Amino acid sequence: MYFYKTLALLILTANSIFAGKVNLIVSFHSTNDAGITELERKYDLVRVYFSERLKMGHYFTDSDLDKLIEELSASGIVKFAEKNSELSLNSAIVDSYINQYHLNNAIGPDINWLNADSYSQKHSFSEEPIIIAVIDTGFTFGSGSAFNNNDLLFNLNDPVNEIDDDGNGYVDDYLGWDFSEEPGDKDVSPELTSTRFNHGNMVASMIFGEDQVTGLTNIIADQNIKLLPLKVGHLVEIDGRNELRIPTDQWLRAAEYAMEMGAQIINLSLGGGVYKDSAQLLIDTLENEDVLVVISAGNATLNNPPNNNDINSYYPASYPNENIISVASIQQSGELSDFSNFGASSVDIAAPGTQVWAYDPSNTEVKTLYDPNFNTIESFNTWTYGSLPGNLSTYNWGWAYDYIDNRGYLHDGTGGAGISMFNYSTPYQNNTNNWIE
């Protein structure tokens, strides 16, 4: 029953970063140290990480990658070599929230949580915990945190003392690891206090957010389930905007670490990359270890409409392995979300992903879409805002500055009056009787 209860919550959160030094991934037929070392020296490959389990190295090189890959592939000891690539986070649309309809939906499908919870209260289960690794932008912990320490996977074999007590190569990995940089560290909190970096918090809050802090139901409370936070991701500038991206090498390392820490389930709310032999090898290994991987089927972007994954594969959700559950997003009515990818044979299931309630400790208000093209904080500070009596006047409107994208925006402290928290270029909603000048 733990499996099905856990599966329900991960299907929800899957509806769906520092590129680092790695630009080349190489898989070897064996782990012959002398042969690999000689090849690394010959081609000036800087080893960033090497997996004995996968027989795979992550490297940095200044060489021409296309020519280098061709030569490595002909070396006799290389199984495959490929460029590193980047994926995007797949976020649920939260422009206006409907309070936890995914748990008990009066007008459409939900995750059947009430029945699962009732069943679990009447039955006892194994004493061994179910470990869920969330590979995302990290969780926020500490005083006043929204998360219960009882639901976290602490590594008691490696306390914080600047010594790698358990000898796994990660010093003081007492609670997960930060894979967003090399060599990484134990800090799994989000990189910046920005909504874009708090995707991991929002995923975590739908699983085990504390009621008094988030207003959310902790759906693993009193269950023998532990969450393992694994941090990935960085900001890159694309078309003048800062966007989150997750390099392949980062999530591969995080998934391998999750496997080593005993995770039975991995949540990946990311995708968009092309087929990668390195990712296929990792998924194969996870399948051999009976690790379930719940992955977002993918979201539309500004430049790409929703995709039929049966026709155009979307990775990593489209790898053919039996241990993958590919998840599309639906609205409260049960209709497919207008941003969600789909596929009759390539997508396994759909779960609520539009207007789902989640916790963002960096920005408890919802950003709404007013972009007056203020590009500097100095210009922003010359403007004032206010509200007139009338339609929607009860909303808690504010005026703030986005230091990541360098924009001013109006925000709604209660949610529901904006169109999209991700689209700053859309005109502000009419007839709210709020103003700036």
Side-chain angles (χ1 to χ4, degrees), residues 208-278:
F208 74 127
E210 287 291 87
D211 294 3
Q212 66 269 26
V213 178
T214 65
L216 293 161
T217 297
N218 182 344
I219 61 178
I220 65 171
D222 303 319
Q223 305 297 321
N224 197 10
I225 299 173
K226 303 295 182 182
L227 265 68
L228 175 63
L230 302 175
K231 177 180 168 184
V232 294
H234 71 135
L235 279 176
V236 296
E237 186 173 332
I238 300 176
D239 298 329
R241 288 180 57 84
N242 291 312
E243 300 290 346
L244 273 173
R245 290 294 183 267
I246 303 91
T248 295
D249 71 290
Q250 289 185 15
W251 77 263
L252 293 185
R253 287 188 61 193
E256 185 179 6
Y257 176 91
M259 181 168 47
E260 293 171 352
M261 296 300 292
Q264 294 97 332
I265 301 173
I266 294 175
N267 185 81
L268 287 174
S269 300
L270 51 81
V274 297
Y275 177 92
K276 288 290 181 181
D277 286 315
S278 55

Side-chain angles (χ1 to χ4, degrees), residues 26-334:
V26 182
S27 175
F28 299 91
H29 290 293
S30 71
T31 55
N32 182 299
D33 289 338
I36 293 174
T37 301
E38 180 181 350
L39 183 135
E40 291 172 345
R41 185 183 302 112
K42 177 180 178 180
Y43 291 102
D44 293 325
L45 302 180
V46 179
R47 181 186 291 193
V48 178
Y49 171 75
F50 193 90
S51 169
E52 294 287 340
R53 180 197 292 262
L54 301 178
K55 303 175 185 177
M56 187 162 62
H58 298 176
Y59 297 98
F60 170 76
T61 176
D62 285 325
S63 302
D64 178 275
L65 286 176
D66 292 324
K67 181 180 179 182
L68 177 60
I69 288 172
E70 182 178 349
E71 293 183 13
L72 290 174
S73 299
S75 68
I77 69 170
V78 170
K79 184 177 181 181
F80 64 78
E82 61 189 12
K83 299 176 184 178
N84 197 12
S85 62
E86 293 186 330
L87 291 79
S88 302
L89 282 175
N90 290 319
S91 300
I93 299 300
V94 289
D95 52 305
S96 57
Y97 300 103
I98 300 173
N99 192 11
Q100 295 191 283
Y101 74 85
H102 56 277
L103 300 184
N104 186 21
N105 190 359
I107 66 172
D110 54 44
I111 66 171
N112 204 24
W113 173 249
L114 295 181
N115 286 335
D117 188 49
S118 176
Y119 183 94
S120 69
Q121 300 302 322
K122 301 174 184 176
H123 296 77
S124 59
F125 306 100
S126 169
E127 294 182 359
E128 293 298 319
I130 297 293
I131 299 172
I132 307 168
V134 179
I135 299 176
D136 214 292
T137 57
F139 301 174
T140 298
F141 302 104
S143 178
S145 168
F147 306 120
N148 189 331
N149 287 347
N150 293 329
D151 299 322
L152 298 172
L153 182 68
F154 289 98
N155 179 12
L156 302 182
N157 295 319
D158 196 2
V160 179
N161 58 7
E162 299 185 2
I163 299 173
D164 184 14
D165 295 277
D166 58 3
N168 68 351
Y170 300 95
V171 178
D172 295 348
D173 59 327
Y174 186 62
L175 178 60
W177 194 256
D178 174 11
F179 292 92
S180 68
E181 58 184 359
E182 295 294 343
D185 58 39
K186 64 182 182 296
D187 184 7
V188 295
S189 59
E191 193 69 22
L192 296 172
T193 54
S194 160
T195 294
R196 295 186 179 200
F197 274 98
N198 275 286
H199 186 273
N201 273 315
M202 291 187 281
V203 168
S205 72
M206 287 187 281
I207 301 173
F208 74 127
E210 287 291 87
D211 294 3
Q212 66 269 26
V213 178
T214 65
L216 293 161
T217 297
N218 182 344
I219 61 178
I220 65 171
D222 303 319
Q223 305 297 321
N224 197 10
I225 299 173
K226 303 295 182 182
L227 265 68
L228 175 63
L230 302 175
K231 177 180 168 184
V232 294
H234 71 135
L235 279 176
V236 296
E237 186 173 332
I238 300 176
D239 298 329
R241 288 180 57 84
N242 291 312
E243 300 290 346
L244 273 173
R245 290 294 183 267
I246 303 91
T248 295
D249 71 290
Q250 289 185 15
W251 77 263
L252 293 185
R253 287 188 61 193
E256 185 179 6
Y257 176 91
M259 181 168 47
E260 293 171 352
M261 296 300 292
Q264 294 97 332
I265 301 173
I266 294 175
N267 185 81
L268 287 174
S269 300
L270 51 81
V274 297
Y275 177 92
K276 288 290 181 181
D277 286 315
S278 55
Q280 180 67 78
L281 176 60
L282 185 278
I283 297 294
D284 289 344
T285 305
L286 292 172
E287 184 173 25
N288 291 336
E289 296 292 332
D290 294 324
V291 179
L292 180 69
V293 190
V294 183
I295 311 177
S296 168
N299 293 353
T301 65
L302 292 177
N303 299 319
N304 298 292
N307 178 59
N308 183 343
N309 292 0
D310 290 349
I311 299 174
N312 300 303
S313 297
Y314 184 90
Y315 296 103
S318 290
Y319 290 109
N321 301 66
E322 294 295 327
N323 63 325
I324 287 178
I325 295 181
S326 174
V327 188
S329 172
I330 54 175
Q331 306 173 49
Q332 188 180 20
S333 64

